[in-house]
Amino acid sequence: MDFIKLPEEIEKRSMEIISPHLDGLNLNEEETKVYSRIIHAAGDVEYAPIIKIHSAAISAAKSAISAGKNIFVDVEMVRTGINKRALKKFGGEVFCKVADEDTKNLAAAEKITRSMAAMRIFDRELDGSIVAVGNAPTALFEVLRLAREKNIRPAVIVGVPVGFVGAADSKAELANQNEIPFITVEGTKGGSPIAVAAINAILYMLDKSRGK
Amino acid sequence: MDFIKLPEEIEKRSMEIISPHLDGLNLNEEETKVYSRIIHAAGDVEYAPIIKIHSAAISAAKSAISAGKNIFVDVEMVRTGINKRALKKFGGEVFCKVADEDTKNLAAAEKITRSMAAMRIFDRELDGSIVAVGNAPTALFEVLRLAREKNIRPAVIVGVPVGFVGAADSKAELANQNEIPFITVEGTKGGSPIAVAAINAILYMLDKSRGK
């Protein structure tokens, strides 16, 4: 059968196909990498005009990773997808509390989602760290509340929750603040692979070997 | 802050928003559940016209799950997302070999992707089982080759690899055969959450408690 089977060739060809869809967006080299990896992960060039990257987001993420900061995520699929070997080279780890017993208890007591409860439990751990929300708008709303009410300041928020209930609003709130650098996507689209794509694109800027 | 925080309400509201986008597709109740969950997972109503479900696919998947058959997947994010507690009630497990040592060795020796090598190693284990490919076109091409050349017959293939290199072709090949029931999506879109959405929608038809 005649199809490309070498991983490096698949990625190279994919990036060539995506490239023309980024024309006119005035992206620098690093932004191009994040955009390309997101579009590659979604198989959807219509992400190009809806991705929003705060001007300080990529440098803030690189600094945080290089300093060994951790990544706090809303769901296990995001933890699974992030290249943890690449991250570990700098000392950081990925944490997800959505399935923890104390998270379940808090969620039941407060009648909120588990991913929201998990962010509330992380609390001050989020200070200076990277937050990645790939699924739950409620988790992103909670991180923004912690910032507003408790002055908790992640180094960067990758906020790309997905869906028709709260996702667009939570991402608009993220994009409308200027205190915390962010990577997001307008509207209802998003998801775990989008969060993973953004994080791994930045990890691979720092670790060309990709954790190998 | 005023947003919906109860998981059941979020899902109910989401399904109400999706429902009108399924008008005119002539879906039965079970197909509606699979479509809705996929669109919910992608936050993208443009999936509605591109989802393709073989007429025997959902019943075949339900029978296989009920009989305790396993699910073989291409990448870890698909394994992570599938509700394994719900599956375990019927006796089945989820297997992914993409990170195994023998998979790495075969991929390097044959100059193919790891996810393709993993399917080749599963070989006859795929007979009668459920296969879910959420990421790698090469894995789906390999499953279809095993069917054609070795008469290996999964009960159903959920084939929704994503991207610009091979994804559309591999899914067209899946949809153009009639030997193995399938769930797929036309074109470049797809991904791990789409595979997970289809599998979990079917699991929840069988286990209303969702593995709780």
Side-chain angles (χ1 to χ4, degrees):
Chain A
M1 284 195 293
D2 185 29
F3 56 89
I4 309 179
K5 301 176 187 71
L6 261 177
E8 308 79 49
E9 280 179 28
I10 292 170
E11 189 168 321
K12 182 167 171 284
R13 182 73 195 110
S14 180
M15 295 309 163
E16 286 167 3
I17 293 167
I18 291 166
S19 176
H21 296 278
L22 304 180
D23 284 352
L25 294 173
N26 288 312
L27 307 177
N28 64 34
E29 194 186 332
E30 293 187 332
E31 288 165 343
T32 299
K33 287 181 180 175
V34 174
Y35 272 66
S36 300
R37 207 159 184 94
I38 288 175
I39 292 168
H40 174 72
D44 184 359
V45 295
E46 289 175 24
Y47 267 89
I50 61 173
I51 296 168
K52 301 292 158 199
I53 303 184
H54 183 280
S55 59
I58 296 175
S59 60
K62 286 169 68 180
S63 298
I65 292 167
S66 300
K69 299 294 185 183
N70 295 316
I71 303 179
F72 295 91
V73 305
D74 63 334
V75 290
E76 290 291 349
M77 280 180 76
V78 176
R79 170 150 67 178
T80 298
I82 290 173
N83 189 322
K84 291 168 289 297
R85 272 182 306 172
L87 181 65
K88 190 76 190 169
K89 286 192 177 182
F90 305 96
E93 287 181 66
V94 184
F95 292 93
C96 178
K97 270 191 167 296
V98 75
D100 289 11
E101 206 56 39
D102 54 344
T103 302
K104 288 180 199 175
N105 295 338
L106 181 62
E110 299 285 326
K111 297 194 194 312
I112 58 178
T113 65
R114 288 182 187 178
S115 39
M116 185 172 181
M119 289 298 163
R120 193 170 296 179
I121 292 171
F122 283 136
D123 199 61
R124 293 250 156 248
E125 289 192 80
L126 304 181
D127 255 328
S129 76
I130 294 170
V131 172
V133 175
N135 190 268
T138 52
L140 181 53
F141 276 128
E142 181 66 11
V143 174
L144 293 167
R145 186 191 68 81
L146 292 169
R148 201 171 50 242
E149 296 182 6
K150 301 185 71 175
N151 203 32
I152 288 170
R153 288 278 176 276
V156 62
I157 299 174
V158 176
V160 290
V162 63
F164 303 97
V165 182
D169 289 345
S170 67
K171 291 181 287 185
E173 189 177 321
L174 175 64
N176 285 334
Q177 59 80 47
N178 199 31
E179 302 266 304
I180 304 168
F182 59 82
I183 296 175
T184 189
V185 162
E186 287 177 348
T188 58
K189 290 183 187 177
S192 301
I194 309 305
V196 167
I199 298 278
N200 283 348
I202 295 167
L203 272 172
Y204 301 156
M205 292 173 201
L206 295 166
D207 175 25
K208 309 280 182 206
S209 81
R210 301 179 166 208
K212 279 172 192 159
Chain B
M1 284 195 293
D2 185 30
F3 57 91
I4 309 179
K5 302 175 188 71
L6 262 178
E8 308 80 49
E9 281 179 27
I10 292 170
E11 191 168 319
K12 182 166 170 286
R13 183 74 195 110
S14 181
M15 296 309 164
E16 286 167 2
I17 293 166
I18 291 166
S19 177
H21 296 277
L22 305 180
D23 284 352
L25 294 173
N26 288 313
L27 306 178
N28 63 33
E29 194 186 333
E30 292 187 334
E31 288 165 343
T32 299
K33 286 181 179 173
V34 175
Y35 272 66
S36 299
R37 209 161 182 92
I38 288 175
I39 292 169
H40 175 71
D44 184 359
V45 296
E46 289 174 25
Y47 267 88
I50 60 173
I51 297 168
K52 301 292 158 198
I53 304 185
H54 182 280
S55 59
I58 296 175
S59 60
K62 286 168 67 180
S63 298
I65 291 167
S66 299
K69 299 294 186 184
N70 294 318
I71 304 179
F72 295 90
V73 305
D74 63 334
V75 290
E76 290 291 349
M77 280 179 77
V78 176
R79 170 149 67 179
T80 298
I82 290 173
N83 189 322
K84 290 167 290 296
R85 272 182 306 172
L87 181 65
K88 191 73 190 171
K89 286 191 177 183
F90 304 96
E93 287 181 66
V94 184
F95 292 93
C96 179
K97 269 191 168 298
V98 74
D100 289 11
E101 207 56 40
D102 55 344
T103 301
K104 287 181 199 175
N105 294 339
L106 180 63
E110 299 285 328
K111 296 194 194 313
I112 58 177
T113 65
R114 288 183 187 178
S115 38
M116 185 173 182
M119 290 297 163
R120 193 170 296 179
I121 292 172
F122 282 136
D123 200 59
R124 293 249 157 247
E125 289 192 79
L126 303 181
D127 256 328
S129 76
I130 295 170
V131 173
V133 175
N135 190 268
T138 53
L140 181 53
F141 276 128
E142 181 66 10
V143 174
L144 292 168
R145 186 190 69 80
L146 292 169
R148 202 171 52 240
E149 296 182 6
K150 301 186 72 175
N151 202 33
I152 288 170
R153 288 280 175 275
V156 61
I157 299 174
V158 176
V160 290
V162 62
F164 303 97
V165 182
D169 290 345
S170 67
K171 291 182 287 186
E173 189 177 320
L174 176 63
N176 286 333
Q177 59 81 46
N178 200 31
E179 302 265 305
I180 305 168
F182 58 82
I183 296 175
T184 190
V185 163
E186 288 176 347
T188 58
K189 290 184 189 178
S192 301
I194 309 305
V196 167
I199 297 279
N200 285 347
I202 295 167
L203 271 172
Y204 299 158
M205 292 173 201
L206 294 166
D207 176 24
K208 309 279 184 208
S209 82
R210 304 182 164 204
K212 278 173 193 160

